[in-house]
Amino acid sequence: MAPRARRTALAPVAPLALALWRISGRRAAAWSAPVVTYGSRLSVPREVPAGLRYCPDFITKEEEAEVMLALDGPGAAWMRQIRRAQQFFGLVYYQTSQRVPELQPTVDSPRDAQLGRGFEELPGWLLPRLRCTGVFDPGEINQVQANEYLEDSGIGVHVEDPAAGPTLATLSLLQPVQLTLQKAHEGKAAHRNLRDPEDCIKVLLEPGSLLVLQGPSREDFSHCIRMSKRVPLRDGSVVRRTKSFRRVSLTFRGIIEAKRSTNRADMPEGYRSYMVGQNECGPRAAFPVGCHQRLDAAAGFSYARQRDPPK
């Protein structure tokens, strides 16, 4: 089978999809320019990467409360193997440098280990509304992943896993945050020692917004959420990420099941993954011989790097 071509434009919206949107009581997605902050030493053009789409009001506050009830109410299944709690609808699969079998089932894993909650446990209008934007092919979505960010927790610099498919769509809930994009090199994030924190594009993700990454924005840029204490808003005010801060996101993917792997494809040279116990910060965490854990403060992510041999 021929490889699938990159998609950098939105597919046409089918009449049936538009009808589904109208049934949900909402107009079609209004894509607009996001609020962007450019780093002071940006090495790429001062523009949003191609393939990035942003809808600031994809859902209302009332709809947000309905989604949160599905996540926190009866049936809630938050997994707390790493700092960010996670919850899966459809396929369970998440690439991380931390080897956590519960998050990384492959095609060889028992089928029940590969599946999370059913899509029917989400609000009935959510997936039809997303499908009618045209960013996913019919039947492509097979995973909805919830992430919980408390206080200043983040997600490390990474290029989306090849198994995640050509499209990444994220719905932001409760609180805003900035997503940091940096130019990738041959499908990998730049090594920390070569990464300039001011060579970046920061995109504000507001509550109720939908972000889509396709084409160059998904494949040619790494992204992360830094451990920043402050989030500047479009009106000039600032949200502080204090102990009461909680942001939740839903990420929609079309996982390519045969490409799932327990090894990350985007690890910078010099890094390798490490084993984690039930609590990554607890006494049961186990690291490979010859490795040590360090915090990539610029990215807000834990890596393990092989030590230099003794002199």
Side-chain angles (χ1 to χ4, degrees):
M1 181 178 293
R4 190 173 182 176
R6 285 186 178 182
R7 301 190 312 175
T8 57
L10 299 181
V13 178
L16 176 59
L18 282 174
L20 288 170
W21 189 290
R22 294 190 183 103
I23 289 172
S24 73
R26 296 280 287 154
R27 54 177 169 71
W31 304 107
S32 63
V35 176
V36 175
T37 303
Y38 297 104
S40 60
R41 292 185 293 273
L42 186 65
S43 62
V44 297
R46 292 173 62 87
E47 61 187 24
V48 173
L52 187 151
R53 302 287 187 271
Y54 184 77
C55 177
D57 56 352
F58 189 73
I59 64 171
T60 65
K61 293 296 292 183
E62 293 75 19
E63 290 168 338
E64 178 187 69
E66 191 176 347
V67 175
M68 289 308 305
L69 180 61
L71 297 177
D72 288 343
W78 289 107
M79 302 169 70
R80 300 187 181 276
Q81 277 81 6
I82 61 176
R83 186 179 183 188
R84 293 181 314 282
Q86 299 172 315
Q87 195 166 168
F88 293 88
F89 298 81
L91 283 180
V92 176
Y93 180 69
Y94 179 69
Q95 264 298 4
T96 171
S97 61
Q98 307 166 44
R99 292 182 184 172
V100 186
E102 295 88 346
L103 298 179
Q104 298 170 314
T106 67
V107 68
D108 298 320
S109 302
R111 191 60 183 172
D112 60 350
Q114 300 181 42
L115 297 175
R117 300 174 65 185
F119 286 155
E120 70 278 2
E121 298 185 61
L122 292 166
W125 48 264
L126 181 57
L127 285 175
R129 183 177 300 177
L130 183 65
R131 292 185 184 115
C132 84
T133 63
V135 300
F136 287 97
D137 290 338
E140 184 177 1
I141 300 172
N142 57 14
Q143 183 195 73
V144 181
Q145 176 193 350
N147 273 310
E148 179 189 57
Y149 298 85
L150 301 178
E151 198 174 349
D152 63 347
S153 63
I155 185 169
V157 179
H158 65 285
V159 177
E160 199 69 17
D161 184 69
T167 299
L168 174 73
T170 295
L171 176 65
S172 293
L173 305 167
L174 300 181
Q175 292 284 359
V177 79
Q178 285 183 311
L179 183 77
T180 300
L181 303 174
Q182 292 187 288
K183 188 67 176 174
H185 302 279
E186 298 181 349
K188 298 182 178 182
H191 190 286
R192 180 178 184 267
N193 294 343
L194 303 175
R195 196 163 62 235
D196 183 347
E198 284 298 319
D199 183 10
C200 67
I201 301 170
K202 297 181 182 179
V203 179
L204 177 65
L205 306 184
E206 300 159 297
S209 69
L210 181 74
L211 174 80
V212 174
L213 298 180
Q214 293 176 315
S217 66
R218 181 251 188 266
E219 298 173 10
D220 299 338
F221 284 80
S222 64
H223 58 266
C224 73
I225 294 175
R226 294 178 175 176
M227 297 172 66
S228 305
K229 293 286 190 180
R230 303 166 73 252
V231 182
L233 305 182
R234 66 169 63 231
D235 63 1
S237 62
V238 172
V239 166
R240 297 188 179 277
R241 299 177 66 180
T242 62
K243 290 187 178 299
S244 63
F245 180 93
R246 186 192 188 207
R247 173 184 178 259
V248 173
S249 65
L250 286 182
T251 297
F252 304 82
R253 299 183 178 94
I255 300 294
I256 303 171
E257 296 193 43
K259 288 189 175 182
R260 290 176 295 171
S261 172
T262 56
N263 296 314
R264 277 184 58 173
D266 70 325
M267 291 289 279
E269 295 298 326
Y271 292 92
R272 69 181 185 183
S273 56
Y274 56 88
M275 296 295 295
V276 198
Q278 290 185 349
N279 182 341
E280 69 164 326
C281 300
R284 292 180 59 181
F287 299 89
V289 175
C291 290
H292 74 285
Q293 182 185 23
R294 68 183 181 85
L295 182 66
D296 185 346
F301 194 70
S302 296
Y303 284 121
R305 184 183 62 177
Q306 190 166 3
R307 283 182 175 148
D308 293 329
K311 299 294 184 182

